Amino acid sequence: MLAKRIIPCLDMKEGRVVKGVKFVNLRDAGDPVELAAAYDEAGADELTFLDITASHEKRDIMLDVARRTSEKVFMPFTIGGGIKSVEDIRMVLENGADKVSINTEAIKNPNLIHEASRKFGNQCIVVAIDAKAASSSQSPVTSRKDSELPTPACPPLAGLPTNKWEVFTHGGRNPTGLDAVEWAKKVESLGAGEILLTSMDRDGTKDGYDVELTKAITGAVNIPVIASGGAGKLEHFLEVIVEANADAVLAASLFHFGELSIKQVKEYLRDNGIPVRL
Amino acid sequence: MIAVIDYGIGNLRSVQKGFEKVGFEAVVTAEKSMLDKAAGIVLPGVGAFRDAVNSLSKSGLGEEVIRQIAKGKPFLGICLGLHLLFTQSEEHGITQGLDVISGRVIGLPYGVKIPHMGWNQIKKFQDTPILVDIKEGASLYFVHSYHAVPEDKNVIGTTTEYGIEFVSSICKKNIFASQFHPEKSSKLGLKILRRFGEMTE
């Protein structure tokens, strides 16, 4: 049976892991390579590095991380953040990454997905989709209590019925007007091999993954979907896998701060009948 | 020295570094003479079958691989490197392969998510020396949309379930080729690379 994947995500800036990782027995908790090795040891199935550096040395730093990680860690890893061109993708892959994750640039230039997947194969092109429930005064999103919804940072989408989600960029700040389900179908047709789906409503809340959103996306595409945003306890992982059919689950701080270990999550899933690699 | 064939496709670095990690020298090369000098040959790769065949035939590396295999040199094919050994592939139209193993490469069945991506279990079809450290049911890393169907069942090393039961590795004399990626399968994968390394000694 194909195992459901558990993926820790490391946010990096200037080649260092940010958001503090409190792993025991690490000489340097900011070194992405050392952390990657620790997560490999801990039983992670894959790793995602998200680079948030905003300098022009960005690409070199990213390539250096890919190169050093691939020398030490023999598990699949993805690099995302600021990928803008086929050339960027080529260099990241050549330096040892297995996949690249594209977000903003895929929206600005959807053809990049097409070109890159034709060139390198769709298996290495992950499109990251950051989605937020579209709020409309006439037809509120019914999947959860209104009181739980954050105040929308943008005007409601016109003409969108209930259970709709809008794609955002820049950490949920910039609305794109794109419907998340339609966008997911589009990126699949363009050649994306996987979708990294983050609920901006749930990200950082520890209230659980957005099951409705994830279900809507997994029901619309035939490529693997990684659920992200909101993991806070064991039940959340099970819920999004069973109810929303997520292929993989991503979490960051929960693992970094040792609130839950990869092993705990996997054992819990296994005990509930979910195939995992243990 | 182990030669990792560079034909302009895929992630070669992980394979090379994997061998180094388990104590074997590996060189990424596009030189035919290096394949001749090497004690073992690795054909890695993720990507399109047709592009790979074109690149191997243009450079003459394909013929050299066939020659070295015939000489009995240990050979390890990974993913696309497994597919390329076959007679032909249906990936984006029929394309002829190296025809070292009789059979075809076809798409994964409808009804499963494509690509097949992640850790899946192997079932041993026969005892394969290179997989001696890998237990029945062990999980290894896969990423592919097509799979190989050999004519001769005796070459099947392992099978794996994904919609159907497909051939996840083959072995025949000095040839071992897998659909899974040893270089991405963490500790278990490194054990496979180590066994291959030992076979070249």
Side-chain angles (χ1 to χ4, degrees):
Chain A
M1 283 272 267
L2 179 63
K4 297 290 183 180
R5 288 170 281 152
I6 313 296
I7 308 175
C9 177
L10 300 170
D11 287 334
M12 291 192 316
K13 197 173 184 181
E14 315 284 353
R16 305 278 299 167
V17 175
V18 293
K19 280 195 190 170
V21 177
K22 289 185 184 164
F23 249 33
V24 283
N25 299 331
L26 276 188
R27 278 172 295 136
D28 178 1
D31 178 17
V33 182
E34 195 168 339
L35 268 167
Y39 273 122
D40 183 15
E41 196 61 36
D45 295 313
E46 268 183 48
L47 280 176
T48 293
F49 292 105
L50 217 49
D51 190 88
I52 53 170
T53 310
S55 71
H56 56 277
E57 294 96 9
K58 183 186 181 80
R59 194 165 82 172
D60 292 341
I61 295 167
M62 214 155 56
L63 296 180
D64 180 61
V65 168
R67 198 158 47 232
R68 290 192 297 122
T69 303
S70 66
E71 281 168 13
K72 291 264 165 57
V73 181
F74 298 90
M75 69 192 293
F77 69 95
T78 304
I79 286 197
I83 304 271
K84 285 193 165 47
S85 64
V86 167
E87 181 60 13
D88 285 347
I89 296 171
R90 189 184 64 77
M91 291 184 75
V92 170
L93 296 176
E94 268 181 11
N95 279 280
D98 297 276
K99 310 185 226 180
V100 293
S101 168
I102 320 171
N103 187 343
T104 310
E105 198 61 28
I107 291 162
K108 279 201 241 165
N109 171 23
N111 193 42
L112 176 63
I113 305 170
H114 178 65
E115 267 184 67
S117 65
R118 268 188 50 175
K119 212 164 186 124
F120 310 110
N122 65 352
Q123 81 290 334
C124 61
I125 308 300
V126 183
V127 174
I129 300 180
D130 293 347
K132 236 188 224 187
S135 40
S136 154
S137 48
Q138 285 109 14
S139 49
V141 175
T142 53
S143 58
R144 68 180 94 94
K145 292 186 221 95
D146 281 344
S147 58
E148 287 174 13
L149 285 172
T151 316
C154 63
L157 274 187
L160 279 178
T162 55
N163 274 15
K164 288 282 183 179
W165 295 267
E166 185 182 1
V167 179
F168 278 69
T169 61
H170 299 88
R173 287 195 305 276
N174 299 354
T176 63
L178 291 166
D179 174 71
V181 173
E182 292 309 315
W183 177 235
K185 289 186 197 167
K186 176 92 185 283
V187 302
E188 179 187 29
S189 72
L190 285 168
E194 189 166 56
I195 289 171
L196 167 53
L197 177 67
T198 304
S199 162
M200 301 313 294
D201 298 317
R202 297 300 181 92
D203 204 25
T205 65
K206 298 198 172 172
D207 288 341
Y209 295 101
D210 190 333
V211 171
E212 290 305 317
L213 164 67
T214 310
K215 202 162 135 185
I217 303 293
T218 59
V221 298
N222 196 40
I223 52 177
V225 176
I226 305 168
S228 159
K233 52 183 185 179
L234 290 170
E235 291 80 358
H236 295 154
F237 293 92
L238 184 64
E239 184 180 67
V240 79
I241 288 170
V242 171
E243 290 174 33
N245 198 24
D247 300 279
V249 284
L250 181 139
S253 54
L254 198 61
F255 292 139
H256 301 334
F257 293 117
E259 291 168 46
L260 285 177
S261 70
I262 307 267
K263 191 156 176 268
Q264 268 177 301
V265 173
K266 286 192 168 184
E267 283 173 349
Y268 177 80
L269 291 175
R270 179 199 59 196
D271 293 346
N272 282 281
I274 304 296
V276 288
R277 178 182 68 111
L278 266 167
Chain B
M1 177 268 290
I2 295 164
V4 179
I5 303 177
D6 178 7
Y7 54 109
I9 283 173
N11 183 352
L12 308 164
R13 190 175 171 76
S14 297
V15 182
Q16 182 202 12
K17 292 293 165 190
F19 278 115
E20 285 177 4
K21 173 99 175 174
V22 295
F24 293 92
E25 189 197 354
V27 176
V28 174
T29 181
E31 298 292 323
K32 281 186 277 183
S33 61
M34 289 295 276
L35 303 197
D36 194 44
K37 267 187 236 159
I41 294 174
V42 183
L43 186 60
V46 169
F49 190 92
R50 182 168 292 172
D51 293 350
V53 165
N54 288 344
S55 165
L56 285 176
S57 82
K58 211 186 287 172
S59 59
L61 282 165
E63 274 177 37
E64 189 60 27
V65 166
I66 294 170
R67 193 175 310 135
Q68 294 297 334
I69 286 176
K71 274 171 64 180
K73 193 167 282 184
F75 174 91
L76 173 64
I78 300 171
C79 196
L80 185 59
L82 160 71
H83 296 176
L84 289 165
L85 294 179
F86 279 72
T87 313
Q88 62 179 35
S89 169
E90 289 180 2
E91 190 181 324
H92 311 302
I94 305 282
T95 307
Q96 299 303 310
L98 299 178
D99 199 21
V100 174
I101 305 284
S102 296
R104 296 147 67 76
V105 177
I106 63 172
L108 284 165
Y110 290 105
V112 291
K113 293 195 180 187
I114 308 284
H116 173 216
M117 191 184 312
W119 298 79
N120 207 336
Q121 294 170 292
I122 55 146
K123 202 156 101 184
K124 291 189 176 180
F125 193 81
Q126 62 176 297
D127 281 326
T128 312
I130 195 173
L131 298 180
V132 69
D133 306 308
I134 313 300
K135 291 199 182 89
E136 179 75 13
S139 292
L140 298 164
Y141 190 78
F142 289 83
V143 51
H144 62 117
S145 303
Y146 290 79
H147 69 100
V149 185
E151 272 170 23
D152 179 5
K153 288 216 165 12
N154 294 319
V155 304
I156 300 174
T158 61
T159 60
T160 294
E161 276 184 35
Y162 191 62
I164 48 159
E165 190 172 351
F166 71 88
V167 174
S168 51
S169 70
I170 58 124
C171 64
K172 186 185 178 185
K173 295 183 205 160
N174 52 320
I175 303 170
F176 177 79
S178 65
Q179 187 63 70
F180 49 81
H181 288 263
E183 81 284 13
K184 287 291 166 186
S185 294
S186 197
K187 278 185 198 143
L188 287 185
L190 291 175
K191 285 182 179 174
I192 298 172
L193 296 185
R194 174 177 286 133
R195 287 288 172 188
F196 182 77
E198 287 167 4
M199 287 169 188
T200 67
E201 280 177 334

